[in-house]
């Protein structure tokens, strides 16, 4: 109940001219003045494709996400396209792994086959391929490793280029190098151009941080390092200026699109990148960010749909043009209009 004193205070402020709440009163008013608009057009859906399985297998740490068999991939691609999602990002899990990740650039490898299957089933669906060796090496690192366990930069570039060209030959629409080797965008650009793929754009993981949020992905992609970690080549989380320098270097080498990964703990990086550069900007809403929401929702601690909406809008508000997210399929109907 309002007291006499409360009523007196209310009367004192009754003649306020500026009341921002006026435009928040109803949903349609809020829609009319909304500053950030998110659409299904902004979504990219990641897919894990595995050899040696005959049906989809749910990923334990990522509820609702699966390793897909090549047999079921066309059907899943059709379902994604029906939701209006314009693009997918492919990760492959091969049966065979070795020290140099040779299956990564096998013309009949799991990713190459997946690209051909999707482009035949749904030609209009944009297929982006992740270019990195970690899923294909038996040590789980993103490049060639010497006897001391150090990832060698320059010898890795040739393998990444071969991988990228094989993806383009299979029909990939966009090449997305995620390894964080120095000079890999330039090497891949040269390799694509010299093989007649000068029209294929590169979406570079320009600012990819050495993050604890990748844990569930490593289970999904079977890419956990067998020794050490990736902090000698992925970025140190406290660094902003370095992220901008990495992005600037990738653009100079020929990147057509740039990316920040992860998203939620790096919204400031997304914002600073948007302010500094005018290329199309992607942000990767990574596995750990996805799994935390799913786990909290299963325990009844949060309103799942509301938190997913808020999360995705925050990434768009920070400046991302494209959002790579495991939430894409469930969120697509919410943002279809």
């Amino acid at each position: 109940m309002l007291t006499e004193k409360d009523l007196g205070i209310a009367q004192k402020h009754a003649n306020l001219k500026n009341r921002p709440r006026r435009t928040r009163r109803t949903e349609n008013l809020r829609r009319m003045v909304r500053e950030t608009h998110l659409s299904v057009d902004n979504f990219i859906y990641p897919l894990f494709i595995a050899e040696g399985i005959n049906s989809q297998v749910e990923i334990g740490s990522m509820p609702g996400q699966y390793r897909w068999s090549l047999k079921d991939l066309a059907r899943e691609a059709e379902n994604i396209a029906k939701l209006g999602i314009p693009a997918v990002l492919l990760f492959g899990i091969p049966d065979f792994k070795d020290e140099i990740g040779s299956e990564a650039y096998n013309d009949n490898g799991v990713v190459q086959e997946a690209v051909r299957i999707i482009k035949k089933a749904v030609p209009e669906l944009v297929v982006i391929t992740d270019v990195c060796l970690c899923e294909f090496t038996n040590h789980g690192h993103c490049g060639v490793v010497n006897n001391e366990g150090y990832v060698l930069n320059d010898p890795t570039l040739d393998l990444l280029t071969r991988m990228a060209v094989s993806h383009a030959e299979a029909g990939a629409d966009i090449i997305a190098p995620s390894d964080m080797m120095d000079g890999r965008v330039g090497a891949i650009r040269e390799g694509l151009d010299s093989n007649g793929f000068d029209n294929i754009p590169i979406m570079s993981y320009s600012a990819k941080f050495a993050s604890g949020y990748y844990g569930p992905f490593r289970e999904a992609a079977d890419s956990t390092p067998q020794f050490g970690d990736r902090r000698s080549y992925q970025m140190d989380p406290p660094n902003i200026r370095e992220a901008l320098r990495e992005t600037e270097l990738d653009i100079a080498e020929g990147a057509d699109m740039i990316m920040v990964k992860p998203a939620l703990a790096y919204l400031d990086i997304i914002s600073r990148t948007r302010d500094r550069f005018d290329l199309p900007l992607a942000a990767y809403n990574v596995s750990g960010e996805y799994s935390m929401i799913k786990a909290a929702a299963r325990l009844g601690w949060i309103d799942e749909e509301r938190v997913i909406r808020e999360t995705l809008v925050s990434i768009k508000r920070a400046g991302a043009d494209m959002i790579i997210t495991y939430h894409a399929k469930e969120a697509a109907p919410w943002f279809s209009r």
Side-chain angles (χ1 to χ4, degrees):
M1 293 287 292
L2 289 174
T3 66
E4 196 168 312
K5 180 179 178 181
D6 293 329
L7 291 170
I9 293 171
Q11 184 62 38
K12 178 181 177 181
H13 296 295
N15 294 321
L16 281 173
K17 292 182 179 179
N18 296 314
R19 293 185 181 272
R21 286 182 57 188
R22 289 174 182 142
T23 57
R24 304 174 196 153
R25 188 167 50 85
T26 70
E27 173 57 19
N28 275 349
L29 278 172
R30 292 190 292 272
R31 285 177 56 206
M32 290 170 65
V33 300
R34 193 160 286 154
E35 299 174 26
T36 302
H37 295 274
L38 183 62
S39 163
V40 66
D41 296 343
N42 304 123
F43 293 158
I44 298 169
Y45 188 55
L47 285 173
F48 299 98
I49 320 299
E51 287 184 318
I53 61 173
N54 293 316
S55 60
Q56 66 194 67
V57 178
E58 188 168 24
I59 300 161
S61 59
M62 298 178 68
Q65 299 302 308
Y66 299 86
R67 288 184 178 186
W68 290 93
S69 69
L70 290 168
K71 179 172 66 72
D72 294 327
L73 186 56
R75 173 173 52 84
E76 175 64 1
E78 290 167 357
N79 291 336
I80 291 165
K82 286 175 184 176
L83 289 168
I85 298 168
V88 292
L89 173 61
L90 303 188
F91 298 94
I93 303 102
D95 278 341
F96 173 76
K97 301 188 180 195
D98 58 21
E99 291 186 354
I100 58 172
S102 57
E103 282 298 299
Y105 39 91
N106 179 350
D107 289 341
N108 296 311
V110 61
V111 172
Q112 291 83 350
E113 289 293 336
V115 171
R116 286 189 276 265
I117 288 168
I118 293 173
K119 295 307 292 184
K120 181 178 179 180
V122 193
E124 69 275 15
L125 190 63
V126 174
V127 175
I128 307 167
T129 56
D130 180 83
V131 171
C132 188
L133 298 178
C134 63
E135 299 132 61
F136 299 89
T137 55
N138 54 17
H139 47 69
H141 280 286
C142 301
V144 178
V145 176
N146 67 12
N147 292 334
E148 288 74 44
Y150 185 76
V151 176
L152 300 174
N153 193 94
D154 294 4
T156 300
L157 299 183
D158 178 60
L159 303 185
L160 295 171
T161 300
R162 291 172 64 183
M163 184 179 183
V165 171
S166 74
H167 290 179
E169 289 173 340
D173 297 295
I174 299 173
I175 301 299
S178 65
D179 55 283
M180 290 303 288
M181 298 296 115
D182 294 336
R184 90 273 204 210
V185 172
I188 290 171
R189 183 72 272 160
E190 182 179 349
L192 290 172
D193 291 355
S194 63
N195 283 277
F197 298 110
D198 53 299
N199 60 326
I200 300 296
I202 295 174
M203 175 190 284
S204 174
Y205 289 65
S206 300
K208 180 180 179 180
F209 290 85
S211 171
Y213 286 97
Y214 301 150
F217 175 93
R218 290 175 180 175
E219 176 195 343
D222 190 23
S223 62
T224 302
Q226 298 303 300
F227 53 85
D229 56 43
R230 296 177 179 147
R231 283 181 285 188
S232 69
Y233 45 101
Q234 293 180 356
M235 286 190 54
D236 194 21
N239 294 357
I240 295 178
R241 295 191 301 272
E242 185 184 7
L244 297 176
R245 174 167 165 71
E246 284 275 13
T247 303
E248 188 171 41
L249 289 170
D250 284 359
I251 293 171
E253 291 177 20
D256 302 281
M257 309 172 191
I258 51 181
M259 188 194 304
V260 174
K261 178 183 180 182
L264 293 185
Y266 300 87
L267 292 174
D268 60 326
I269 308 293
I270 297 170
S271 180
R272 290 283 293 274
T273 302
R274 174 74 293 149
D275 290 343
R276 178 82 169 267
F277 305 107
D278 60 4
L279 265 65
L281 173 59
Y284 201 142
N285 179 210
V286 298
S287 60
E289 297 166 346
Y290 170 89
S291 295
M292 288 192 299
I293 290 176
K294 290 297 181 181
R298 284 190 169 189
L299 291 169
W301 292 348
I302 59 171
D303 179 331
E304 184 175 0
E305 179 178 335
R306 185 173 180 181
V307 171
I308 293 171
R309 284 176 176 269
E310 191 172 344
T311 295
L312 296 176
V313 168
S314 77
I315 299 168
K316 181 72 183 299
R317 188 182 64 240
D321 301 299
M322 297 162 282
I323 303 174
I324 303 164
T325 179
Y326 303 97
H327 296 295
K329 283 177 65 178
E330 60 191 317
W334 310 339
F335 297 101
S336 60
R337 67 180 183 187

